[in-house]
Each structure stands twice: as structure tokens, then as C-alpha cells.
Amino acid sequence: MTAEAPTKEARNAEFKQRFAAVLVDIQKTGAEDGETLGLIGHLANDLAKSLQQPNWSSAKKVITPQTYNDLLKVFEQRGNEYHRAGKSKHAYSIQVLAMSLIAGTMRADQQMVEGEKLLDAVIDRSVSIYQSLNPTKLN
């Protein structure tokens, strides 16, 4: 006998709970842990640059479905690697970006829209701080 797969509604409800927990946590982290925000800013900046965008929010707007799927696979793989290696801040940084990506697919839910805006504002602020501390050098 096999367990029945969870419905889409059940998966969405579970995600919303996890997403809300990340939102609460990131607000606390933002006030207490500059290193983690730096990691988030660095990763989001690198991804935005690879898509020729100035920040995370802009990058999300140009991500194709294939890139979305590829990113989630890489996030899962690297997040698990970091977790196994005891690099919890790195794993958490990837989780935050993955949550932001997934939230973008749930915009029919107004609560998710508002939460996505809040999370992306934190990510974009982290990118901006990272960029100010690591200016791009020309030549």
C-alpha cells in the first residue's frame, strides 16, 4: 500500500506556512545577522548579473520556465550540500531565494503577493548593500 500524494492545495498550504516562517525569520535575521544577508546579497547579485539585471526582482521578471526549473534543481542540490557540510547560513540563503522564486508562481493568492514583495525587498536591499561593498571594477 502506498501513501497518497498530497494535493496541490495541501502542498500550497504547507508552502505558505513555511514561507510565512521564513518571512518572520528574515526580518529577525536582517536585524541580527549581516553575514547571512551578505550571502543572500552575493548569491542574488550573481544570479541577477547572469541574467543581465540590476537586482533580484528584475531578474525574476525575465526568468524563463526552463531557467526557473533549472534554478530550483540547483538550489535543492546546493542547499542539501551546504546543509550536509554544516554551512547552515549558505543553505538558508539558498532557501530564501528558492522561496522567493516559488512565491512568484502563487500570485493568485493576495497574501503570497504581499509576502513576495516583502521578501524581495529584503533580497534587493541585500543585493544593493553587497554591490556597494563590492563595486564592479571596469578594466
Side-chain angles (χ1 to χ4, degrees):
M1 189 162 150
T2 59
E4 205 172 304
T7 64
K8 181 178 179 180
E9 292 79 18
R11 286 190 312 270
N12 286 352
E14 180 184 336
F15 178 80
K16 280 180 71 172
Q17 288 178 337
R18 291 176 54 211
F19 184 78
V22 167
L23 274 178
V24 169
D25 188 61
I26 197 78
Q27 290 173 339
K28 181 178 180 186
T29 298
E32 298 175 358
D33 189 354
E35 180 183 0
T36 298
L37 288 182
L39 290 168
I40 291 168
H42 184 178
L43 180 57
N45 180 68
D46 288 355
L47 290 169
K49 276 188 169 183
S50 73
L51 295 166
Q52 301 175 342
Q53 298 299 312
N55 59 34
W56 177 248
S57 294
S58 297
K60 282 178 54 177
K61 291 177 184 172
V62 300
I63 288 176
T64 65
Q66 183 62 50
T67 301
Y68 171 88
N69 290 331
D70 292 346
L71 269 177
L72 286 183
K73 286 177 189 171
V74 169
F75 284 166
E76 180 179 24
Q77 177 188 6
R78 295 299 302 270
N80 288 335
E81 289 170 4
Y82 285 138
H83 181 70
R84 283 192 296 276
K87 295 183 174 184
S88 59
K89 292 182 181 191
H90 291 76
Y92 179 78
S93 299
I94 287 174
Q95 178 187 16
V96 167
L97 296 181
M99 292 285 211
S100 171
L101 270 183
I102 295 167
T105 68
M106 300 175 74
R107 292 187 182 130
D109 182 323
Q110 190 57 38
Q111 287 179 319
M112 290 302 299
V113 170
E114 294 305 316
E116 180 189 15
K117 286 179 189 176
L118 291 171
L119 184 57
D120 287 353
V122 171
I123 295 168
D124 285 341
R125 188 173 70 241
S126 298
V127 168
S128 179
I129 292 168
Y130 175 81
Q131 290 171 342
S132 71
L133 296 173
N134 298 284
T136 303
K137 294 181 173 83
L138 300 175
N139 293 337

